[in-house]
Amino acid sequence: MVQPAKTNSKILTDAFPQNNDTVLNVKDLSVRFYTRRGIIEALRGISFSMKKEQVLGIVGESGSGKSVLALSILNLVEKPGNILSGEIIFDGVDLLKLSKKKINKIRGRRISMIFSDPMSAFDPTLPVGNQILETIRRHHKGISRKEAREMAIDLFHKVKIPSPIRRLEEYPSMFSGGMIQRAMIADALSSNPELIVADNPTQALDVTIQQQILELLSELKHKQGTTLILITNSLPILARYADEIMVLYAGGILEHGEKNAVFLKPSHPYTRGLIDSTPKVSGKRFRRLKTIRGFTPSRVLTDLQSPKCVFLDRCDIATATCHERQPDPVFIRDTGLHYSKCFLASQMNQMQL
């Protein structure tokens, strides 16, 4: 079997030790898809950990591996995909080693997922209320249908769906985009999960509805002590709601750190490129937006055999070393966690935005 170019993943797995405050600990996670084009390396050596009530923001271009990572956490990667290696430790248990019966007791009950397309999550032939009641009764054994209905009404109140009794009887097609997203959040919250994975929860919604959904998630996090993984393409969203930022590119982490460290002192040229290409509401009125030249690299495994840095072909500051090998994580000496996979990370950290 063709092997990918190796990086020193032990540096990161050692950086995220398991302790009493840890809710989730992902260690050296790698995922591949076996297709007619060849073997696609979807995730490469992903490692991170999360504490209770923390919000981890994950950002990257389309195809960076964000959604595959979300599915992997719940062990939902299906063929032709395969979780090749790694550990996903939740409450001291590796989810990847659990039987289907045991993992099903955790999915939806202790870990919930909010998908980017809520319409696909609901059966269009059944009222939304019926489907949420089914979820409640599945995760709360012995509860009556009447009690489940009362819980559903209360959940609709929590997520600010007006006229909840009437809404329970309506079909998904009768909900607006923002309302059906709220219904999905209500469904995700029905079991009081300890961890919520939100995969682009505001995709295709207008700005006003986006803010309402995100404020709702933030409010629920504080009230219920929920830990949140927030996946998005929007840096402004993460600037407001995340505690830590993880930057994904071509299936790997290029930079990870506390929010202020990453936004104020980005230490990878890709992160800096994402920040520079984000429209700003202040400063020069007609300033031309910068762009990141080139395209994301092929993820076919045979195309990844070159030892060069994965961002080399789009980088404006590459050195000869970047052509010779992939950089190991470089930890930045600033407040809290902050590392970058760039040979020039320390120098970039000192540059002005």
Side-chain angles (χ1 to χ4, degrees), residues 67-281:
S67 293
V68 175
L69 176 55
L71 293 172
S72 299
I73 290 170
L74 285 158
N75 200 357
L76 286 172
V77 175
E78 298 179 345
K79 292 183 178 181
N82 177 50
I83 298 179
L84 188 70
S85 63
E87 297 178 349
I88 300 175
I89 301 172
F90 176 74
D91 194 20
V93 176
D94 187 355
L95 300 182
L96 300 182
K97 293 181 179 178
L98 294 181
S99 65
K100 185 176 181 180
K101 182 178 180 181
K102 289 183 177 179
I103 191 69
N104 282 339
K105 290 182 178 180
I106 293 176
R107 288 190 198 128
R109 180 178 298 180
R110 302 184 64 192
I111 305 177
S112 290
M113 187 163 179
I114 299 171
F115 296 91
S116 58
D117 181 11
M119 281 296 182
S120 65
F122 287 102
D123 186 333
T125 66
L126 294 173
V128 169
N130 286 16
Q131 298 178 62
I132 293 178
L133 261 64
E134 181 183 345
T135 301
I136 292 172
R137 298 189 72 183
R138 184 169 65 247
H139 296 306
H140 299 270
K141 300 299 182 183
I143 190 172
S144 69
R145 184 172 179 82
K146 181 180 178 181
E147 290 171 326
R149 182 178 175 81
E150 290 173 353
M151 284 185 64
I153 292 171
D154 183 59
L155 283 167
F156 272 27
H157 277 301
K158 282 184 177 179
V159 299
K160 298 180 173 59
I161 292 180
S163 306
I165 296 175
R166 175 173 59 84
R167 286 290 190 176
L168 286 175
E169 307 301 327
E170 294 181 345
Y171 291 82
S173 61
M174 301 169 72
F175 282 65
S176 66
M179 284 299 167
I180 198 66
Q181 189 66 281
R182 291 168 190 263
M184 178 186 279
I185 294 173
D187 192 52
L189 293 173
S190 63
S191 60
N192 296 318
E194 297 153 59
L195 172 66
I196 294 177
V197 182
D199 184 9
N200 268 322
T202 59
Q203 183 170 284
L205 300 178
D206 64 53
V207 175
T208 302
I209 301 299
Q210 282 186 18
Q211 184 174 350
Q212 291 174 358
I213 295 294
L214 292 166
E215 290 290 347
L216 172 62
L217 287 173
S218 179
E219 179 184 335
L220 293 170
K221 182 204 77 164
H222 291 298
K223 286 184 177 179
Q224 299 186 190
T226 308
T227 303
L228 176 64
I229 295 177
L230 180 58
I231 298 171
T232 180
N233 296 321
S234 171
L235 284 176
I237 285 176
L238 298 187
R240 180 164 184 172
Y241 296 100
D243 300 312
E244 290 183 5
I245 307 294
M246 179 192 296
V247 181
L248 280 188
Y249 183 79
I253 301 172
L254 294 190
E255 185 162 3
H256 183 183
E258 294 184 355
K259 176 175 63 179
N260 289 339
V262 172
F263 277 116
L264 298 178
K265 293 289 184 178
S267 300
H268 195 283
Y270 179 59
T271 310
R272 185 172 289 266
L274 291 177
I275 294 172
D276 286 341
S277 62
T278 301
K280 297 175 177 60
V281 296

